[in-house]
Amino acid sequence: MFRKTDPETVAPYLKDASNFSGGRASEVLVPETRDELVAFLKESDQPVTLAGAGTGLTASRIPLEGVILSLERFHTLGAVKAGTCRVGPAVTLKDLQAHLQNSGWFYPPNPTESLASIGGTLATNASGSRSYKFGTTRQFVLEADIVLSDGRTALLARGQTIDRPLQLDDGSTVEFPRVKFKSPECKNAAGYFVQPGMDWLDLFIGSDGTLCVFTECTLRLMKTPANFLSGILFMKQEELCWRLLEKIKISNAQNIDPCSLEYFDSHSLQRLKKKFANIPDSARAALFFEQDVASQDDYDPCLENWVAFLETEAVLLEDSWFAQGPKDLEKFHDFRHEIPLMINEENSRLGRVKMGTDMAVGDAYFMDMMKFYRDELTASGLDYVVFGHIGDNHLHINLLPDAEQTALAHNVYGTLVDRILQWGGTISAEHGVGKLKKEYYRKMVGDSALTELKAIKKSLDPQGRLGVGNLF
Ligand SMILES: Cc1cc2nc3c(=O)[nH]c(=O)nc-3n(C[C@H](O)[C@H](O)[C@H](O)COP(=O)(O)OP(=O)(O)OC[C@H]3O[C@@H](n4cnc5c(N)ncnc54)[C@H](O)[C@@H]3O)c2cc1C
């Protein structure tokens, strides 16, 4: 096992994209094999925080004590077999996409940040623009090799449900505690996923680095579409975009079946205009859409259908952008990725901890949510941007307070959370809870459910060694 103890080599592991400071760890341990990892966990009783690629937004990989375990040497990339691929946790989404490039298969979860590791995306149940149609990471994991905090190992496969004890490789078992709590039905990544009769695997996916170490997994792939039809549509008012979105979602028009629907409010466009000068001056909102097209013959009819559909809508059609080929598709993805990058860079420059929401509600509350956000944010007088996965009723509001507005921003955040929870929504639909959203998580589930969720943690990590300070 490789050990990094020099403060300069440890420092990069005390960061992620949340800009949270205050991480502490005595050393970074880099096992080369699963046996080394298992031996360490069996012999030691130190708290352990698992490091992925550090692109997380909730400080969940930043340790508060103990040691950091980095799986960076676990970089296996297996051959594609019958639409599946076995990969190590250190493989980044970018590596995986490159590996699959000419295989005829693709991996749909696309959390816009391609440097994220597979281990990190499993731990956070990452999702992204294409989750609107294809679903989240959880839907694409067929099995996973895990190690518990005491060094016991298991291979989790589909069909092993919590109705039966979890079988560990050494013959021991773990019972799923009796809990009444159930995860909300909307897109959700807050804390442990709990549904009656679910697979054990689904509990571990999205557990924020607190239940196990993922050492390898088998991913389900999809046939690569022949093409993606894509556009960035501009509108003169934000509300026009919300109304268009509702129409797209209920549209019965043939060939209107997007896999991504991503929103940019007027504040986002103002910032993006610094880099993309051809954003129309009159635009106050934009919608990025993508549609997977199974066969190239379907591409033109599909495009014609979209244009015919949009002609009757309040879209600045002449000034909107439609991809003409793979280069444009890449540009549109960069456009989408640029806004969180700009905000993260601005936060780092100003020493501001990220104050970004990740909340979602069910379809019934979509329009109420949008109006409520607009009214509250306008009344607050704060600077902010709103962007993200509008197809899933899942927007990221980034509050951008001056130093003296920090308390006000926290109050506004709290008001937004309270209303989303009244509507049965979630405080995190994709980034997880980590260390930054615990207070809101507690509000979301309530004290008695929190006790049940802690019992789940205790059954699998009795000494509370993994991911100290995450979730609870
Ligand atoms: C610009 C930007 C845009 C983003 N957009 C999205 C988005 O659209 N959708 C989305 O879902 N996320 C998004 N993210 C967040 C981030 O990319 C995801 O949370 C990602 O899954 C984190 O992966 P990582 O490898 O960087 O993990 P890290 O940040 O290193 O760790 C995240 C968690 O995973 C745990 N972990 C890491 N490896 C393992 C392992 N092998 N076993 C068990 N636990 C492990 C860590 O302990 C920690 O709890 C974005 C981030 C940035 C910077």
Side-chain angles (χ1 to χ4, degrees):
M1 181 138 63
F2 193 68
R3 295 181 117 94
K4 300 183 186 183
T5 49
D6 171 12
E8 266 186 32
T9 52
V10 175
Y13 295 87
L14 302 179
K15 290 186 197 155
D16 70 1
S18 69
N19 214 24
F20 174 84
S21 56
R24 266 194 318 272
S26 54
E27 58 181 336
V28 182
L29 304 175
V30 186
E32 313 235 11
T33 62
R34 196 171 188 238
D35 289 346
E36 275 186 0
L37 168 70
V38 166
F40 164 75
L41 289 170
K42 281 190 171 160
E43 283 157 18
S44 157
D45 59 1
Q46 285 175 290
V48 171
T49 300
L50 299 160
T55 71
L57 293 164
T58 63
S60 63
R61 79 123 188 197
I62 301 181
L64 299 179
E65 55 181 300
V67 299
I68 296 166
L69 249 174
S70 170
L71 281 277
E72 63 203 59
R73 300 279 168 99
F74 287 55
H75 199 276
T76 45
L77 256 172
V80 176
K81 281 190 205 148
T84 69
C85 187
R86 199 153 170 80
V87 300
V91 169
T92 64
L93 289 167
K94 196 173 179 179
D95 298 333
L96 179 62
Q97 279 151 13
H99 179 64
L100 297 177
Q101 198 166 27
N102 297 316
S103 69
W105 298 92
F106 91 122
Y107 180 63
N110 175 34
T112 68
E113 179 48 77
S114 62
L115 297 179
S117 71
I118 291 296
T121 60
L122 261 64
T124 58
N125 186 30
S127 57
S129 58
R130 291 176 180 160
S131 304
Y132 172 62
K133 180 165 181 180
F134 300 126
T136 65
T137 296
R138 183 171 284 120
Q139 275 90 61
F140 291 90
V141 183
L142 293 176
E143 56 180 31
D145 282 305
I146 59 156
V147 185
L148 298 184
S149 61
D150 59 8
R152 285 181 296 165
T153 59
L155 170 64
L156 302 176
R158 289 284 161 207
Q160 297 171 359
T161 69
I162 55 164
D163 300 332
R164 290 169 169 237
L166 174 66
Q167 299 284 333
L168 282 307
D169 292 333
D170 66 357
S172 62
T173 57
V174 176
E175 294 264 357
F176 191 78
R178 283 177 177 274
V179 296
K180 288 192 189 137
F181 174 77
K182 267 198 252 168
S183 299
E185 298 289 336
C186 63
K187 183 179 176 187
N188 175 44
Y192 301 149
F193 178 78
V194 183
Q195 286 296 334
M198 68 180 186
D199 289 343
W200 279 99
L201 184 54
D202 289 331
L203 169 68
F204 289 93
I205 296 170
S207 59
D208 248 354
T210 65
L211 294 183
C212 75
V213 188
F214 293 106
T215 55
E216 213 171 41
C217 62
T218 304
L219 302 175
R220 177 170 74 85
L221 309 172
M222 287 180 68
K223 283 265 182 210
T224 310
N227 210 334
F228 282 96
L229 172 70
S230 183
I232 298 184
L233 310 172
F234 294 99
M235 275 128 291
K236 276 188 178 168
Q237 288 171 22
E238 291 176 348
E239 197 159 337
L240 295 175
C241 186
W242 315 341
R243 301 214 171 276
L244 174 67
L245 190 279
E246 281 193 319
K247 284 196 186 168
I248 292 175
K249 283 175 82 169
I250 56 157
S251 172
N252 291 325
Q254 199 192 6
N255 275 335
I256 303 284
D257 183 21
C259 58
S260 307
L261 288 167
E262 298 282 307
Y263 178 66
F264 307 83
D265 77 335
S266 60
H267 294 235
S268 303
L269 292 185
Q270 264 170 28
R271 280 183 160 77
L272 285 165
K273 205 162 163 58
K274 289 181 197 144
K275 188 149 182 199
F276 299 88
N278 51 342
I279 293 174
D281 291 335
S282 58
R284 295 291 174 272
L287 183 70
F288 161 52
F289 77 90
E290 259 187 327
Q291 178 161 333
D292 49 310
V293 182
S295 124
Q296 196 54 42
D297 292 343
D298 296 337
Y299 187 87
D300 286 340
C302 188
L303 176 60
E304 282 160 23
N305 219 56
W306 267 94
V307 173
F309 171 72
L310 293 171
E311 263 167 2
T312 56
E313 300 299 329
V315 175
L316 296 166
L317 207 49
E318 294 289 307
D319 291 327
S320 293
W321 308 340
F322 290 89
Q324 305 293 326
K327 280 233 157 80
D328 284 345
L329 280 178
E330 212 178 301
K331 258 194 233 159
F332 290 3
H333 278 262
D334 289 347
F335 182 88
R336 166 63 184 86
H337 191 45
E338 191 60 35
I339 186 68
L341 284 184
M342 278 179 156
I343 298 303
N344 292 348
E345 185 279 323
E346 188 175 315
N347 284 341
S348 299
R349 190 162 30 82
L350 300 176
R352 189 166 56 197
V353 174
K354 187 173 174 76
M355 215 183 282
T357 74
D358 179 31
M359 300 186 283
V361 293
D363 281 341
Y365 294 103
F366 167 69
M367 197 52 88
D368 292 340
M369 176 187 77
M370 297 308 288
K371 288 180 180 164
F372 169 70
Y373 281 168
R374 179 193 54 201
D375 296 346
E376 282 299 317
L377 293 169
T378 310
S380 75
L382 291 166
D383 192 8
Y384 65 89
V385 293
V386 184
F387 62 90
H389 320 296
I390 195 165
D392 290 317
N393 319 312
H394 171 205
L395 277 307
H396 298 302
I397 299 170
N398 278 251
L399 300 174
L400 306 166
D402 295 341
E404 62 277 14
Q405 292 175 315
T406 308
L408 168 67
H410 279 293
N411 284 341
V412 171
Y413 200 129
T415 307
L416 303 180
V417 167
D418 287 346
R419 184 60 65 87
I420 292 296
L421 295 183
Q422 277 168 19
W423 287 329
T426 177
I427 57 112
S428 173
E430 68 181 4
H431 299 154
V433 173
K435 298 185 177 67
L436 300 187
K437 295 191 177 161
K438 289 191 278 191
E439 181 198 331
Y440 302 127
Y441 181 51
R442 185 190 179 125
K443 238 184 199 182
M444 174 176 158
V445 299
D447 284 339
S448 75
L450 206 65
T451 307
E452 294 180 346
L453 294 161
K454 283 181 183 166
I456 297 176
K457 162 84 172 165
K458 196 151 194 196
S459 68
L460 290 155
D461 179 18
Q463 291 177 289
R465 290 178 67 193
L466 283 185
V468 173
N470 291 350
L471 291 182
F472 307 117

